[in-house]
Amino acid sequence: MSETILILGAGGQIGGELTVKLRSIYGDANVIASDIRESNFHKQLEGPFEIVDATNKEAILEIVKKYNITQIYLLAAMLSATGEKYPQKAWDLNMTSLLAVLDLAKEKYIDKVYWPSSIAVFGTTTPKNNTPQKTIMEPSTVYGISKISGEFWCNYYHEKYGVDVRSLRYPGIISWKTKPGGGTTDYAVDIFFKAIEEGKYECFLNENTRLPMMYMEDAVDATIQIMQAASEDIKIRTSYNLSAIDFTPKELSDEIKKHIPQFTITYKPDSRQEIADSWPQTIDDSQARLDWKWAHKHDLSSMSKDIIKNLQAQKNQELKTV
Ligand code: NAD
């Protein structure tokens, strides 16, 4: 059966690149991008874009009916750092949108749901190295609380109503085409932009803060792979651990210096340091690798090389057109 896909929150860091990849697979007309606000990224693309509030179930249903949607990817959320500034709003957005979409699946308007969780479900009491799939989970941020609750809602809807919902616990996602939206791992994106533009960066985490990370291409591939997997291969209906690389700001800056030798970094930790300190350093994702054959492509070196090459090309193009 052919799929028609609705992405909620498509204007964000992951949604933009996911839209492009899904359209290359399913066709422009079959992937409907939507967000609460118009997205500059989507203005340059060919396929349909709709303004939809992901917390408004009726508004989502209208679009589901208009396009005969079969799958929803729910990416609208308030992330970790912003969530600490607006805890109630973070909870309302993250939970109301998820329950709206799960209900639409329960009521058989759609067949399949994708919803991402995060390494923020873990807390200071979780083993930090090679964090297992099943372990102590005592999150300290509102974002983390919303993600762990969301995971159990997903499992509940699957067990109780047979809803086909699939989920990944993303690590920090690193991209250059789209910018991040208020997370604790945003430094690992900002650093590349500043390295190209200014040759220096002031990092809001200290130099030895190791966190699990992943290049956007791998994150998008994992997302589509879990959605395309046979239902019987999805053994976990809370959310899968997912892993690729891990590094500290110091290690990342050393990698950047291989390409931009004059690059300098300084450290000025802010409130995001406390959030980062509560998260794992490395993740055990062997269950995803076993169940639906997950394998990442990019390491720190190939990712850095690719980002710097693309940002430099973008800068040269901008200079030419000025
Ligand atoms: P983002 O902040 O870049 O994008 C979120 C998008 O949701 C924005 O375009 C925003 O306009 C939109 N949005 C906000 N409120 C909305 C509403 N009411 N209705 C419709 N759209 C609304 O986030 P992202 O980085 O693309 O993250 C996508 C998902 O992946 C989120 O669930 C996030 O928790 C999860 N995640 C991301 C990362 C990461 O490193 N980016 C890591 C772990 C988990």
Side-chain angles (χ1 to χ4, degrees):
M1 201 188 97
S2 67
E3 302 292 353
T4 315
I5 293 167
L6 172 62
I7 307 174
L8 296 166
Q13 187 198 7
I14 298 171
E17 298 208 32
L18 184 67
T19 306
V20 173
K21 189 69 191 264
L22 283 171
R23 283 184 178 161
S24 75
I25 299 169
Y26 296 97
D28 285 352
N30 294 320
V31 179
I32 291 61
S34 77
D35 203 281
I36 195 143
R37 58 185 72 91
E38 215 177 347
S39 147
N40 284 333
F41 185 84
H42 283 88
K43 276 185 197 156
Q44 306 150 23
L45 304 180
E46 288 297 323
F49 182 85
E50 297 273 355
I51 299 286
V52 183
D53 178 352
T55 62
N56 184 339
K57 188 181 160 191
E58 290 309 311
I60 306 171
L61 181 56
E62 216 173 282
I63 299 296
V64 166
K65 287 181 175 165
K66 179 173 168 187
Y67 292 96
N68 292 318
I69 299 294
T70 57
Q71 302 185 358
I72 291 183
Y73 287 65
L74 169 57
L75 300 179
M78 192 180 286
L79 273 64
S80 57
T82 315
E84 289 310 282
K85 288 188 199 142
Y86 310 104
Q88 185 68 49
K89 273 193 192 162
W91 175 258
D92 290 345
L93 170 57
N94 297 0
M95 286 295 96
T96 311
S97 57
L98 177 60
L99 289 172
V101 171
L102 288 175
D103 271 338
L104 290 173
K106 174 189 161 195
E107 290 155 19
K108 310 270 184 243
Y109 288 109
I110 51 172
D111 303 329
K112 224 187 251 186
V113 175
Y114 176 77
W115 172 82
S117 183
S118 157
I119 54 166
V121 292
F122 302 116
T124 50
T125 50
T126 305
K128 274 200 180 307
N129 291 308
N130 226 14
T131 302
Q133 173 69 42
K134 285 182 200 276
T135 183
I136 302 167
M137 294 161 89
E138 296 181 320
S140 55
T141 59
V142 168
Y143 176 67
I145 298 169
S146 75
K147 289 296 185 187
I148 194 171
S149 309
E151 285 192 12
F152 284 101
W153 274 118
C154 289
N155 195 54
Y156 183 84
Y157 270 70
H158 177 73
E159 294 291 324
K160 193 106 180 165
Y161 310 118
V163 166
D164 189 355
V165 53
R166 300 161 184 218
S167 177
L168 299 171
R169 291 175 184 152
Y170 289 139
I173 309 296
I174 303 165
S175 57
W176 63 271
K177 290 183 197 157
T178 49
K179 290 205 174 173
T184 303
T185 52
D186 290 6
Y187 92 83
V189 177
D190 297 339
I191 194 171
F192 285 102
F193 282 88
K194 287 278 167 32
I196 300 288
E197 285 158 19
E198 300 171 21
K200 60 180 182 177
Y201 181 65
E202 184 177 270
C203 185
F204 59 74
L205 298 182
N206 73 38
E207 63 182 326
N208 296 320
T209 310
R210 180 172 303 283
L211 287 169
M213 301 276 188
M214 180 175 286
Y215 196 27
M216 181 64 86
E217 190 184 324
D218 277 330
V220 165
D221 285 352
T223 304
I224 296 173
Q225 209 181 322
I226 193 177
M227 282 297 271
Q228 290 182 335
S231 187
E232 60 272 19
D233 290 340
I234 308 298
K235 310 265 198 288
I236 291 173
R237 295 291 181 163
T238 48
S239 189
Y240 276 94
N241 274 6
L242 189 75
S243 165
I245 45 182
D246 59 90
F247 52 77
T248 65
K250 166 96 173 54
E251 288 165 358
L252 181 56
S253 76
D254 287 347
E255 194 61 41
I256 291 173
K257 276 184 204 159
K258 290 182 190 165
H259 304 271
I260 308 171
Q262 70 279 16
F263 175 68
T264 57
I265 183 164
T266 51
Y267 301 94
K268 197 177 173 199
D270 66 15
S271 58
R272 288 168 280 192
Q273 183 67 50
E274 199 182 330
I275 301 178
D277 288 341
S278 75
W279 288 353
Q281 298 187 338
T282 57
I283 299 281
D284 174 4
D285 66 350
S286 47
Q287 187 87 45
R289 290 174 193 265
L290 184 74
D291 288 356
W292 44 276
K293 312 292 172 257
W294 157 242
H296 68 278
K297 289 194 199 98
H298 285 282
D299 59 15
L300 178 58
S301 159
S302 71
M303 177 189 78
S304 304
K305 203 169 145 194
D306 197 54
I307 297 178
I308 291 169
K309 183 188 77 186
N310 281 295
L311 287 181
Q312 257 159 356
Q314 203 173 52
K315 189 180 174 186
N316 293 342
Q317 191 59 37
E318 278 164 16
L319 288 174
K320 258 196 230 160
T321 50
V322 169

PDB file of all heavy atoms in Angstrom, residues 77-91:
ATOM      1  N   ALA A  77       7.801  19.775  19.499  1.00  0.00           N
ATOM      2  CA  ALA A  77       8.119  19.599  20.924  1.00  0.00           C
ATOM      3  C   ALA A  77       8.836  20.841  21.415  1.00  0.00           C
ATOM      4  O   ALA A  77       9.326  21.642  20.625  1.00  0.00           O
ATOM      5  CB  ALA A  77       9.015  18.378  21.127  1.00  0.00           C
ATOM      6  N   MET A  78       8.874  20.993  22.742  1.00  0.00           N
ATOM      7  CA  MET A  78       9.761  21.992  23.326  1.00  0.00           C
ATOM      8  C   MET A  78      10.948  21.231  23.925  1.00  0.00           C
ATOM      9  O   MET A  78      10.767  20.269  24.657  1.00  0.00           O
ATOM     10  CB  MET A  78       9.053  22.818  24.397  1.00  0.00           C
ATOM     11  CG  MET A  78       9.879  24.038  24.798  1.00  0.00           C
ATOM     12  SD  MET A  78       9.083  25.028  26.057  1.00  0.00           S
ATOM     13  CE  MET A  78       7.801  25.821  25.126  1.00  0.00           C
ATOM     14  N   LEU A  79      12.164  21.651  23.564  1.00  0.00           N
ATOM     15  CA  LEU A  79      13.363  20.884  23.923  1.00  0.00           C
ATOM     16  C   LEU A  79      13.896  21.209  25.329  1.00  0.00           C
ATOM     17  O   LEU A  79      13.344  22.066  26.024  1.00  0.00           O
ATOM     18  CB  LEU A  79      14.431  21.048  22.839  1.00  0.00           C
ATOM     19  CG  LEU A  79      14.291  20.028  21.686  1.00  0.00           C
ATOM     20  CD1 LEU A  79      13.010  20.195  20.907  1.00  0.00           C
ATOM     21  CD2 LEU A  79      15.469  20.094  20.735  1.00  0.00           C
ATOM     22  N   SER A  80      15.003  20.560  25.689  1.00  0.00           N
ATOM     23  CA  SER A  80      15.445  20.543  27.092  1.00  0.00           C
ATOM     24  C   SER A  80      15.728  21.920  27.683  1.00  0.00           C
ATOM     25  O   SER A  80      15.212  22.260  28.757  1.00  0.00           O
ATOM     26  CB  SER A  80      16.687  19.665  27.234  1.00  0.00           C
ATOM     27  OG  SER A  80      17.720  20.125  26.382  1.00  0.00           O
ATOM     28  N   ALA A  81      16.549  22.737  27.007  1.00  0.00           N
ATOM     29  CA  ALA A  81      16.963  24.003  27.607  1.00  0.00           C
ATOM     30  C   ALA A  81      15.789  24.979  27.661  1.00  0.00           C
ATOM     31  O   ALA A  81      15.540  25.621  28.693  1.00  0.00           O
ATOM     32  CB  ALA A  81      18.130  24.592  26.827  1.00  0.00           C
ATOM     33  N   THR A  82      15.013  25.074  26.577  1.00  0.00           N
ATOM     34  CA  THR A  82      13.849  25.969  26.552  1.00  0.00           C
ATOM     35  C   THR A  82      12.792  25.474  27.541  1.00  0.00           C
ATOM     36  O   THR A  82      12.125  26.274  28.208  1.00  0.00           O
ATOM     37  CB  THR A  82      13.249  26.038  25.126  1.00  0.00           C
ATOM     38  OG1 THR A  82      14.324  26.193  24.205  1.00  0.00           O
ATOM     39  CG2 THR A  82      12.290  27.208  24.985  1.00  0.00           C
ATOM     40  N   GLY A  83      12.653  24.167  27.636  1.00  0.00           N
ATOM     41  CA  GLY A  83      11.675  23.585  28.556  1.00  0.00           C
ATOM     42  C   GLY A  83      11.911  23.973  30.011  1.00  0.00           C
ATOM     43  O   GLY A  83      10.966  24.101  30.801  1.00  0.00           O
ATOM     44  N   GLU A  84      13.175  24.152  30.384  1.00  0.00           N
ATOM     45  CA  GLU A  84      13.470  24.564  31.770  1.00  0.00           C
ATOM     46  C   GLU A  84      13.024  26.003  32.014  1.00  0.00           C
ATOM     47  O   GLU A  84      12.768  26.394  33.150  1.00  0.00           O
ATOM     48  CB  GLU A  84      14.963  24.413  32.072  1.00  0.00           C
ATOM     49  CG  GLU A  84      15.417  22.968  32.174  1.00  0.00           C
ATOM     50  CD  GLU A  84      14.537  22.127  33.101  1.00  0.00           C
ATOM     51  OE1 GLU A  84      14.693  22.233  34.323  1.00  0.00           O
ATOM     52  OE2 GLU A  84      13.668  21.369  32.604  1.00  0.00           O
ATOM     53  N   LYS A  85      12.922  26.808  30.938  1.00  0.00           N
ATOM     54  CA  LYS A  85      12.442  28.195  31.100  1.00  0.00           C
ATOM     55  C   LYS A  85      10.915  28.224  31.171  1.00  0.00           C
ATOM     56  O   LYS A  85      10.340  29.077  31.826  1.00  0.00           O
ATOM     57  CB  LYS A  85      12.899  29.050  29.905  1.00  0.00           C
ATOM     58  CG  LYS A  85      14.375  29.335  29.915  1.00  0.00           C
ATOM     59  CD  LYS A  85      14.722  30.343  28.823  1.00  0.00           C
ATOM     60  CE  LYS A  85      16.206  30.279  28.535  1.00  0.00           C
ATOM     61  NZ  LYS A  85      16.524  30.437  27.132  1.00  0.00           N
ATOM     62  N   TYR A  86      10.265  27.313  30.450  1.00  0.00           N
ATOM     63  CA  TYR A  86       8.792  27.312  30.383  1.00  0.00           C
ATOM     64  C   TYR A  86       8.279  25.896  30.684  1.00  0.00           C
ATOM     65  O   TYR A  86       7.738  25.230  29.789  1.00  0.00           O
ATOM     66  CB  TYR A  86       8.318  27.731  28.993  1.00  0.00           C
ATOM     67  CG  TYR A  86       8.964  28.995  28.480  1.00  0.00           C
ATOM     68  CD1 TYR A  86       9.973  28.943  27.513  1.00  0.00           C
ATOM     69  CD2 TYR A  86       8.569  30.251  28.962  1.00  0.00           C
ATOM     70  CE1 TYR A  86      10.568  30.095  27.046  1.00  0.00           C
ATOM     71  CE2 TYR A  86       9.168  31.411  28.488  1.00  0.00           C
ATOM     72  CZ  TYR A  86      10.171  31.321  27.532  1.00  0.00           C
ATOM     73  OH  TYR A  86      10.773  32.462  27.063  1.00  0.00           O
ATOM     74  N   PRO A  87       8.407  25.428  31.946  1.00  0.00           N
ATOM     75  CA  PRO A  87       8.087  24.023  32.246  1.00  0.00           C
ATOM     76  C   PRO A  87       6.650  23.636  31.902  1.00  0.00           C
ATOM     77  O   PRO A  87       6.431  22.574  31.303  1.00  0.00           O
ATOM     78  CB  PRO A  87       8.331  23.923  33.763  1.00  0.00           C
ATOM     79  CG  PRO A  87       9.032  25.167  34.170  1.00  0.00           C
ATOM     80  CD  PRO A  87       8.903  26.174  33.093  1.00  0.00           C
ATOM     81  N   GLN A  88       5.690  24.490  32.256  1.00  0.00           N
ATOM     82  CA  GLN A  88       4.288  24.132  32.005  1.00  0.00           C
ATOM     83  C   GLN A  88       3.998  24.039  30.510  1.00  0.00           C
ATOM     84  O   GLN A  88       3.325  23.120  30.036  1.00  0.00           O
ATOM     85  CB  GLN A  88       3.373  25.178  32.658  1.00  0.00           C
ATOM     86  CG  GLN A  88       1.883  24.843  32.570  1.00  0.00           C
ATOM     87  CD  GLN A  88       1.501  23.634  33.422  1.00  0.00           C
ATOM     88  OE1 GLN A  88       1.864  23.562  34.598  1.00  0.00           O
ATOM     89  NE2 GLN A  88       0.795  22.680  32.832  1.00  0.00           N
ATOM     90  N   LYS A  89       4.555  25.009  29.756  1.00  0.00           N
ATOM     91  CA  LYS A  89       4.343  25.010  28.295  1.00  0.00           C
ATOM     92  C   LYS A  89       4.982  23.783  27.663  1.00  0.00           C
ATOM     93  O   LYS A  89       4.439  23.198  26.725  1.00  0.00           O
ATOM     94  CB  LYS A  89       4.992  26.262  27.687  1.00  0.00           C
ATOM     95  CG  LYS A  89       4.091  27.467  27.682  1.00  0.00           C
ATOM     96  CD  LYS A  89       4.715  28.535  26.778  1.00  0.00           C
ATOM     97  CE  LYS A  89       3.995  29.848  26.978  1.00  0.00           C
ATOM     98  NZ  LYS A  89       4.766  30.990  26.484  1.00  0.00           N
ATOM     99  N   ALA A  90       6.169  23.411  28.173  1.00  0.00           N
ATOM    100  CA  ALA A  90       6.864  22.242  27.620  1.00  0.00           C
ATOM    101  C   ALA A  90       6.011  20.996  27.835  1.00  0.00           C
ATOM    102  O   ALA A  90       5.813  20.189  26.923  1.00  0.00           O
ATOM    103  CB  ALA A  90       8.234  22.073  28.278  1.00  0.00           C
ATOM    104  N   TRP A  91       5.507  20.847  29.049  1.00  0.00           N
ATOM    105  CA  TRP A  91       4.669  19.688  29.377  1.00  0.00           C
ATOM    106  C   TRP A  91       3.424  19.675  28.487  1.00  0.00           C
ATOM    107  O   TRP A  91       3.082  18.649  27.892  1.00  0.00           O
ATOM    108  CB  TRP A  91       4.292  19.733  30.862  1.00  0.00           C
ATOM    109  CG  TRP A  91       3.343  18.649  31.265  1.00  0.00           C
ATOM    110  CD1 TRP A  91       2.004  18.759  31.465  1.00  0.00           C
ATOM    111  CD2 TRP A  91       3.669  17.266  31.478  1.00  0.00           C
ATOM    112  NE1 TRP A  91       1.466  17.538  31.791  1.00  0.00           N
ATOM    113  CE2 TRP A  91       2.463  16.601  31.806  1.00  0.00           C
ATOM    114  CE3 TRP A  91       4.857  16.525  31.414  1.00  0.00           C
ATOM    115  CZ2 TRP A  91       2.413  15.241  32.088  1.00  0.00           C
ATOM    116  CZ3 TRP A  91       4.789  15.156  31.687  1.00  0.00           C
ATOM    117  CH2 TRP A  91       3.590  14.530  32.021  1.00  0.00           C
TER     118      TRP A  91
END
